[in-house]
Amino acid sequence: MEIAKNNVELMNRLNSSSKYLQSNDMKVTEVREGYAKVEMIIDEQILNVHGFVHGGALFSLADTVAGAASFATGRDSVTLTGTINYIKPGRGGKLIGIAQEISRGRTTGVYEVFIFNDRNTLLSRATFTMFFLDSDRIKAKKDKEHHVR
């Protein structure tokens, strides 16, 4: 029950504290350890000259959902690297980004991201490596515990 409460609190914190998410019509709709789901409304603000979702908007959503999944581990992080493959043109009413952790170490985590439209068409696939900001603090704590023994 405590984990579910923490996940809801994290989701609410991400949605309410990020002006970037709010100004880009993104909303974290689900988080749990190593997993997140973020939705983004498709409107004319994010379309390219061809009338499809701009690649930058897809990348931004992918980065956001990977970050949410890494935060759901209980650790703060920033993006170290990100790569994306654009598979189909973005059309529909909203985008749905899903991130799943595929590896987590002491300093980094790797997340695979899939972005679908509301018709369940796969639009892009991305991989992000997140750097955990608290790695020095964890290392110092382990060093301290080691010296106490």
Side-chain angles (χ1 to χ4, degrees), residues 131-144:
F131 177 76
F132 295 118
L133 297 172
D134 59 355
S135 60
D136 291 337
R137 187 175 64 227
I138 290 170
K139 183 180 182 302
K141 182 179 176 185
K142 286 183 180 180
D143 288 347
K144 185 178 179 181

Side-chain angles (χ1 to χ4, degrees), residues 4 6 53 87 122 124 142:
N6 290 341
V53 175
I87 298 167
L122 179 63
S124 63
K142 286 183 180 180

Side-chain angles (χ1 to χ4, degrees), residues 75-149:
R75 301 175 72 186
D76 286 338
S77 65
V78 293
T79 303
L80 192 59
T81 63
T83 60
I84 192 166
N85 292 308
Y86 301 104
I87 298 167
K88 299 257 188 200
R91 296 183 181 146
K94 71 177 170 181
L95 302 170
I96 300 139
I98 297 171
Q100 180 68 49
E101 183 178 86
I102 56 177
S103 174
R104 185 183 341 157
R106 187 175 55 83
T107 59
T108 62
V110 179
Y111 297 83
E112 186 169 38
V113 177
F114 295 94
I115 298 177
F116 300 89
N117 66 11
D118 51 2
R119 298 177 197 135
N120 208 31
T121 301
L122 179 63
L123 305 179
S124 63
R125 180 193 170 280
T127 304
F128 281 81
T129 301
M130 308 305 285
F131 177 76
F132 295 118
L133 297 172
D134 59 355
S135 60
D136 291 337
R137 187 175 64 227
I138 290 170
K139 183 180 182 302
K141 182 179 176 185
K142 286 183 180 180
D143 288 347
K144 185 178 179 181
E145 289 171 355
H146 185 283
H147 290 295
V148 172
R149 291 179 192 176

Side-chain angles (χ1 to χ4, degrees), residues 7-59:
N7 290 343
V8 170
E9 287 174 2
L10 172 62
M11 192 169 61
N12 290 337
R13 181 173 62 96
L14 291 172
N15 285 326
S16 66
S17 67
S18 176
K19 297 291 183 201
Y20 185 78
L21 267 68
Q22 295 167 12
S23 66
N24 287 285
D25 288 324
M26 287 189 227
K27 185 176 181 182
V28 180
T29 59
E30 187 178 348
V31 291
R32 59 180 182 268
E33 188 170 350
Y35 174 89
K37 182 177 177 183
V38 177
E39 296 181 357
M40 181 180 192
I41 302 299
I42 297 175
D43 63 19
E44 67 276 354
Q45 301 288 339
I46 66 168
L47 300 180
N48 64 20
V49 297
H50 305 292
F52 305 128
V53 175
H54 192 284
L58 290 165
F59 190 92

